[in-house]
Amino acid sequence: MARRPGKNFLFVPGPTNVPERVLRAMVVSQEDHRSPIFPELTKPLYEGLKKVFKTTEGQVFIFPSSGTGGWEAALTNTLAPGDKVLTARFGQFSHLWTDMAQRLGLDVQIQEEEWGTGAHEEKIEEALVADKNHEIKAVMVVHNETATGVTSNIGAIRKAIDAAKHPALLFVDSVSGLGSIDFRFDEWKVDCAVSGSQKGLMLPAGLGFVCVSQRALGLRKNAGLNKVYFDFQDHINTNPSGYFPYTPATPLLHGLKEALACIEDEGLENIFRRHHILAEATRKAVAAWGLKVCAKEPRWHSDTVSAILAPEGIDAAKIIRHAYDRYNLALGAGLSKVAGRVFRIGHIGDLNELMLLGAIAGAEMSMLDNGVKIKAGSGVGAAQDYLRDNPIEPQAAAPKAA
């Protein structure tokens, strides 16, 4: 295959672009992960991740896995076979987590929601109020559903659980939310929060993170689901001294150290604002094309990914393939129920205005090449106008402690 000049424009909602300084940090010689100095690398990572989760009380675990491993760790360390859990299913990833819970032997009560919406807090409250005997042990919610570009309101779900006066645990998948859109572990009284390295944390795939409340940790002795690789106890025994119960993904840990430094340098609130501005610019482009995003209402809009509905009679998969073959642009594919109906622009991670405009331009050209009746430059122009009126001007990050 002939060389393609320039770089591939990576605009899927994960894996995301990795900053150059993080890439360089991972180019390390192999080392002894049981050496006396290894804890100098690992111990600060837990404190750095706690800042991103916004917790002081939660305990963070790092697994050599994807976010899917984090799902399994959260469930198997806190629940027992036959336990009833409540979940909303409204996209491919909420479906996959539901499927895992069922395959592990949990009794899953599913609230089916229209794809393009998210978890409805009022329905969750209603189900918990009806559960007079408190048989439901946990509520599982996907914070940001990348398949449809939908974000659920976790703060509102916590209020619903509290309003129902129900003791259920709150489990949240924030794989494509953490480090990009606001997440408040302590304030929202989350019990298990799951994330992964390849999204807002701007690393390659390969690390799964679980932040666990003290209440959830206290349940592990009665958790009867089988576990070995994902057993919290093995990590509790080894992590305080800076080590892992098995071989860790050492280069990724070096990358995580640098990625956390990137996040601290920019500041979390600045990162959230940047993602919102880039997302709004994308939505302005979609409107200028005369198209719609999959999210049914603004309340569901995701600031990390826009799933864009192709016009009737147009195969979105062809737009995606042509963008890759002709313009070296990687767009996200439609999954499951929306396969062939949407293409996705991921606006997550290490991005700025000009990078986003390149993706919008590439998507626009691919649509034109595939017979979509839009005006050339319309989406780019609308995004430019918005970005010029809403500059990304980060406030200075808080000074580091001496």
Side-chain angles (χ1 to χ4, degrees):
M1 184 176 178
R3 174 184 177 271
R4 305 183 74 176
K7 66 181 294 183
N8 175 257
F9 267 53
L10 182 64
F11 276 84
V12 298
T16 63
N17 295 283
V18 178
E20 290 294 328
R21 60 188 274 193
V22 175
L23 288 172
R24 289 194 296 271
M26 291 188 291
V27 182
V28 292
S29 299
Q30 294 304 293
E31 60 191 292
D32 177 10
H33 59 281
R34 304 196 188 283
S35 75
I37 64 170
F38 194 66
E40 296 174 13
L41 167 66
T42 58
K43 285 186 176 182
L45 300 179
Y46 297 102
E47 292 306 312
L49 285 168
K50 286 174 72 170
K51 292 178 183 178
V52 179
F53 278 104
K54 292 190 176 179
T55 183
T56 58
E57 299 299 321
Q59 183 162 348
V60 176
F61 298 98
I62 303 173
F63 293 97
S65 75
S66 65
T68 304
W71 285 351
E72 186 165 330
L75 297 175
T76 57
N77 283 277
T78 56
L79 300 172
D83 276 355
K84 182 176 287 188
V85 297
L86 175 67
T87 190
R89 181 160 58 186
F90 47 85
Q92 179 67 0
F93 295 95
S94 51
H95 165 70
L96 290 173
W97 201 12
T98 298
D99 176 67
M100 174 186 282
Q102 292 173 324
R103 291 162 67 181
L104 287 170
L106 298 171
D107 179 4
V108 186
Q109 181 177 329
I110 305 170
Q111 295 180 339
E112 299 286 2
E113 305 294 357
E114 183 181 10
W115 285 37
T117 69
H120 288 71
E121 57 270 15
E122 68 278 6
K123 293 184 182 179
I124 290 173
E125 181 177 346
E126 182 180 334
L128 294 177
V129 168
D131 181 33
K132 302 297 184 183
N133 295 325
H134 294 168
E135 295 178 359
I136 295 171
K137 302 303 181 184
V139 176
M140 295 166 41
V141 184
V142 171
H143 184 201
N144 191 75
E145 175 58 73
T146 51
T148 54
V150 161
T151 300
S152 293
N153 188 334
I154 304 302
I157 291 167
R158 165 44 64 192
K159 289 179 182 178
I161 297 171
D162 289 348
K165 297 181 171 59
H166 200 287
L169 299 166
L170 176 57
F171 292 174
V172 180
D173 163 352
S174 193
V175 172
S176 61
L178 189 75
S180 302
I181 53 180
D182 199 8
F183 189 85
R184 308 178 187 184
F185 186 91
D186 285 356
E187 183 178 330
W188 296 338
K189 293 183 283 184
V190 178
D191 289 293
C192 288
V194 176
S195 196
S197 55
Q198 77 277 19
K199 309 277 187 173
L201 288 172
M202 304 176 292
L203 288 162
L207 295 179
F209 309 110
V210 187
C211 187
V212 188
S213 72
Q214 295 305 310
R215 179 168 78 124
L217 281 175
L219 298 174
R220 68 186 185 280
K221 292 181 181 179
N222 297 319
L225 292 173
N226 290 331
K227 55 199 166 289
V228 178
Y229 187 81
F230 294 110
D231 195 330
F232 287 164
Q233 190 59 52
D234 293 340
H235 286 257
I236 289 169
N237 294 342
T238 55
N239 288 172
S241 59
Y243 299 101
F244 290 83
Y246 35 65
T247 306
T250 306
L252 283 172
L253 296 179
H254 284 279
L256 177 59
K257 176 183 177 181
E258 194 64 28
L260 291 170
C262 289
I263 290 171
E264 185 168 357
D265 287 348
E266 185 175 359
L268 268 178
E269 301 308 315
N270 291 326
I271 291 171
F272 301 152
R273 181 173 180 272
R274 172 169 59 82
H275 278 77
H276 179 70
I277 289 172
L278 296 176
E280 279 292 300
T282 304
R283 292 189 279 265
K284 296 293 185 185
V286 174
W289 291 330
L291 302 180
K292 294 181 179 180
V293 293
C294 189
K296 300 293 183 182
E297 302 173 37
R299 67 171 287 199
W300 303 117
H301 283 167
S302 169
D303 281 350
T304 66
V305 56
S306 294
I308 300 158
L309 291 163
E312 194 71 29
I314 299 292
D315 185 354
K318 292 183 178 179
I319 294 172
I320 296 165
R321 180 58 189 262
H322 184 75
Y324 190 85
D325 290 343
R326 175 69 176 83
Y327 301 113
N328 207 12
L329 167 65
L331 298 171
L335 303 173
S336 189
K337 289 184 180 181
V338 293
R341 295 178 52 210
V342 308
F343 65 91
R344 297 179 294 155
I345 296 178
H347 30 77
I348 173 174
D350 187 38
L351 296 179
N352 60 29
E353 296 101 318
L354 294 185
M355 294 167 73
L356 177 66
L357 288 170
I360 292 171
E364 194 169 88
M365 289 190 292
S366 186
M367 283 191 288
L368 286 164
D369 293 346
N370 281 276
V372 181
K373 304 301 182 183
I374 58 174
K375 182 180 178 182
S378 57
V380 175
Q384 285 177 328
D385 288 343
Y386 179 81
L387 291 169
R388 291 176 64 231
D389 290 339
N390 295 273
I392 298 174
E393 296 177 346
Q395 303 298 310
K400 298 179 182 178

